[in-house]
Structures are given as C-alpha cells and as structure tokens.
Amino acid sequence: MAKALLPRAWVKKSFYFQARISFMRVKYLFLTWLTVLVSSWVIYVQYSAYTELCRGHECKNAICEKYRRGVIDGSACSSLCDKETLYFGRCLSSLPNNQVYTGSWGDHSGIIHCQLGEVARYDLSEEPEPRREAPAFDKPSKGTSVEKFREMVFSLLKAKLGEQVNLSGLVSHILSVTDGNRDGRVSLPEARSTWAILQMDEVLLGLLLQERGHTPRLLGFCGDLYMTERVPYGPLYGFALPWPLVSWVPNSLQRTIDQWFTPSWPRKAKISMGLLELVEDVFHGTYGNFLICDLAAMHFGYTDRHELRLTKTQVVVPEFEFRRVMRALRCEKDADCVYGADCQTSCDLSENRCREKPLQPNLAKACRTLKDYLLRGAPSGMREELERQLFACMALRGNSRQLDMEHSLILNNLKALLWRQISHTKDS
C-alpha cells in the first residue's frame, strides 16, 4: 500500500513542478514581449522626435537656394553652398524651428545655429518660440544705399539699447562684419544677411560681449544661419546629466555630482575671475547697463585655457529693455514682477505696477552661483575670508543708495583675493 502511494505522490510533485515551470516560462515570455514592445515604442518615439527636431538639411537647402538666387550673401555662404567646406555635425536641437548642430569649417570647430521660424525677441525661455513662415530677406530693399543701411542699423540698435554715446562705433563694427568677402564694399545680399541676424538678440548681444572675450566668437553667417566657436568645456560645474536622469536625481545629489567634475581649485579661481569680469563689464559698460537674468551654471563654459564663456546670450538683456518691459507689467505682489529666471523687481501696490529697479544686481547672483564652486577645495588659509566676502556679495541689494560704491568695493576685493592665490601659479 505504501509502495502504491509513492508513485502517486511523485506524480503529483512532478505535475506541480512542471506546472510551475510552465507558469515561469509564460511569465518570462510575457515580460520579454513587454520589454520588446516598450523598447520598440521608445525607439520609435526617439526616432520620430529626432527626425522632427533635426532638420539641418532643410535649413541648409533653404539658405543655399536663396544664396544661389542672389537674395543673400555672407562670410559663410560660399563655404556652405559652393565649396561645401562647412559641415553639419551632431544635432543638438531641442525645438524644430531652432536648429542647432555641431559643425566644422576648415580648422574651426563650432556650433551652427539656423532658424526655421520667426525669432522671439528677448525671450528667456529655453529656446526661441517657433514660427510658421520662413524669413523673406526683403530688408533692406533694392536701391538702398550704404548710408541708408547705416541709418537702419543705428535706429535698430537705439531701439534695443537706448540712447548710447558709442552707438556709431558699434554700427561701424557691424558694417565691417557685413563685408563678408572683404572686398571693401557692402552688397545688398550681404546687408540682408546682416539685417536678418541682427533681429536675433543672442547674435547682437554676442557681438557686444565678444569684444572682451566673454562669449563665443562669431565665425561667420549666411542669411540667418550663423556659426560660433565651440566652447570645449561646459557647463561651469563640469558635468551635465543625460536628460532622462535629470528629473530622477535629487538637487542635493546633483550638486554633489557637479562638484566631482570640476577642475583644480586654482583653475576654478581663474574661471570665476572670468565671471566677475563679465559682471563688471556689463555693469555700466560701453553700450549701457545689462542684466543677466539667469546665472545658472549650465549657461557657462570655459576654454582649454580656463577662460570663461557665456554660452547662452539670451539670458542677457539691456537694462533699457528690462525697464520698458517692467513698466508695462501689472502686479498684485512682488512675485508677479519677475523677468526671465531671476530678474525681479517689487510691486508698487498703490498703482499695481511693477517698479523698474531690480532687487538684486548681477554681482549678488554671480556670487550665489560661485559660492559652492569656490568654497569646495579652497585653500585653508583664505577659506574663511573668501566665505565672508562671498556672503557680503550675496547680500547686495539693487535699491541701495550707494550701490555703485558697494558694487565696486566688493568686486575689487573678491578679484584681489582670488588673484593673490593664483598669480604665482601657471594657471594665472
């Protein structure tokens, strides 16, 4: 009897084991199928997004078609359309109508920008807003003299920057840039290309700031396609997480990771000196006062020689334009009076209008950006003094009656402190 029960028990166990194996197979088969399905969907979405975002061939074709018809001309046109020595590289676009690519042009490597849509002015969002129609390149019109074009450029600059004593010199510089083939005269197609890129505030502000080496150099342009030099290192904090991970990594961990990927302290001090010099140059600068309305580390990079570059000039706005915009804003509280990421004024509750004076100057925001960057790894002999000066800098207020004096004093003290530490090193 016992012997008869053994096979029956064995059969039951065998059946149970086989059923478990079958269930596991079905489970893993389902999971494999689900993985393949999800992966295929992700690949399809990524490919669709890429083909929608990356339309450099369309941009090149549109520009070269107008160049060959004699509508536009510029320093990059022949290399792009005839010689084909200006190449599009890796796509960096994040909006379909604002094409951004790495590029190479002879011995230069750079970043190519090409607009497939109308450019929004002084828009501090991630990218300019898209447009529906391609530019007509109809200004200046046929028969316009060089002198008339000079007046057009002067009026445009005055509208953007306000009344400045040095505008005539800036106009002359722009006309020299317009002469792309260096034949000593400005042709109508060249003037049309220049007029097109001057409508893009990031190009104009880049031209203003590149004189002191704060922005990537403009290498050339054709129509509203332009190429700037490539900044090899960025962002300022040395490491940018892949976009799928950004939303999953806490800010505190992100800040820690940022600090892992930074140069040695003397090199960080030299890069920081560059940011302080940028702030100094835009505060009552050659062409007026400018505000930097987003001093996030991601908008800055640096060269092989550890010289700072502002890589997103859209965050810079002339104070003339800032005041005009704020005057028109209605408000109920201070939080309603924000321009860009961090240019804020206060609300005049008696009139429900935003005041024109920014609450914090550029220097205070720059010191906030530099605080963790500079204090980590700072030499022990000057760390306490550096921390004290940085906090004094961050406490600056835009409504101070002695702002100019305080700004100058704090800026000079900070630069002197950093310079004393690096002046004897090879990094200086």
Side-chain angles (χ1 to χ4, degrees), residues 395-407:
L396 275 173
R397 289 293 175 265
N399 57 2
S400 171
R401 292 182 179 179
Q402 297 181 318
L403 176 63
D404 285 8
M405 186 182 71
E406 292 173 355
H407 188 282

Side-chain angles (χ1 to χ4, degrees), residues 155-172:
S155 298
L156 176 69
L157 296 178
K158 185 177 176 181
K160 289 175 180 287
L161 305 176
E163 192 75 59
Q164 305 294 335
V165 295
N166 297 307
L167 283 187
S168 296
L170 180 57
V171 172
S172 297

Side-chain angles (χ1 to χ4, degrees), residues 273-290:
M273 288 271 288
L275 180 54
L276 295 175
E277 286 169 358
L278 167 63
V279 168
E280 184 176 26
D281 287 342
V282 300
F283 185 71
H284 301 320
T286 308
Y287 305 109
N289 194 10
F290 294 83

Side-chain angles (χ1 to χ4, degrees), residues 159-415:
K160 289 175 180 287
L161 305 176
E163 192 75 59
Q164 305 294 335
V165 295
N166 297 307
L167 283 187
S168 296
L170 180 57
V171 172
S172 297
H173 173 63
I174 289 173
L175 288 181
S176 70
V177 172
T178 302
D179 182 15
N181 57 10
R182 296 291 181 264
D183 62 354
R185 63 186 187 87
V186 175
S187 66
L188 181 62
E190 286 173 335
R192 284 172 172 164
S193 285
T194 299
W195 186 256
I197 65 167
L198 287 179
Q199 308 310 305
M200 294 180 276
D201 297 308
E202 66 269 24
V203 177
L204 174 59
L205 292 168
L207 284 171
L208 297 180
L209 296 173
Q210 77 175 23
E211 183 180 329
R212 297 297 298 271
H214 297 307
T215 57
R217 209 160 35 90
L218 178 67
L219 299 176
F221 58 94
C222 182
D224 57 359
L225 177 148
Y226 66 96
M227 182 174 178
T228 58
E229 68 178 346
R230 183 172 173 269
V231 178
Y233 302 102
L236 180 63
Y237 284 165
F239 184 73
L241 284 174
W243 66 265
L245 299 179
V246 171
S247 58
W248 296 92
V249 178
N251 289 335
S252 57
L253 179 59
Q254 172 72 61
R255 285 196 297 271
T256 303
I257 294 174
D258 284 341
Q259 296 295 342
W260 292 346
F261 296 88
T262 55
S264 63
W265 192 88
R267 290 174 174 173
K268 288 196 293 184
K270 183 177 180 181
I271 294 166
S272 302
M273 288 271 288
L275 180 54
L276 295 175
E277 286 169 358
L278 167 63
V279 168
E280 184 176 26
D281 287 342
V282 300
F283 185 71
H284 301 320
T286 308
Y287 305 109
N289 194 10
F290 294 83
L291 299 176
I292 307 175
C293 289
D294 191 350
L295 270 154
M298 70 182 71
H299 302 322
F300 298 90
Y302 55 93
T303 67
D304 293 319
R305 299 179 62 184
H306 300 92
E307 296 167 338
L308 180 111
R309 295 288 185 271
L310 172 63
T311 54
K312 186 175 181 181
T313 52
Q314 292 99 318
V315 301
V316 179
V317 60
E319 187 175 39
F320 171 80
E321 173 69 13
F322 174 79
R323 289 176 177 271
R324 185 188 65 78
V325 171
M326 299 315 289
R327 275 198 305 269
L329 275 183
R330 299 193 66 82
C331 62
E332 295 180 357
K333 54 186 182 301
D334 288 350
D336 296 331
C337 302
V338 180
Y339 188 97
D342 55 15
C343 283
Q344 184 175 2
T345 69
S346 57
C347 181
D348 184 350
L349 295 177
S350 63
E351 298 183 8
N352 291 110
R353 293 276 182 185
C354 292
R355 294 187 174 94
E356 299 178 21
K357 194 77 172 176
L359 294 179
Q360 272 197 317
N362 294 325
L363 182 58
K365 295 182 289 186
C367 288
R368 189 169 65 237
T369 299
L370 293 175
K371 180 172 71 71
D372 293 338
Y373 186 65
L374 276 177
L375 290 178
R376 182 182 176 88
S380 56
M382 55 90 70
R383 193 182 192 282
E384 185 177 341
E385 176 62 16
L386 176 61
E387 186 172 18
R388 186 189 68 78
Q389 289 198 24
L390 285 171
F391 276 97
C393 173
M394 291 161 58
L396 275 173
R397 289 293 175 265
N399 57 2
S400 171
R401 292 182 179 179
Q402 297 181 318
L403 176 63
D404 285 8
M405 186 182 71
E406 292 173 355
H407 188 282
S408 179
L409 184 64
I410 289 175
L411 182 62
N412 290 335
N413 286 345
L414 256 177
K415 288 172 62 179

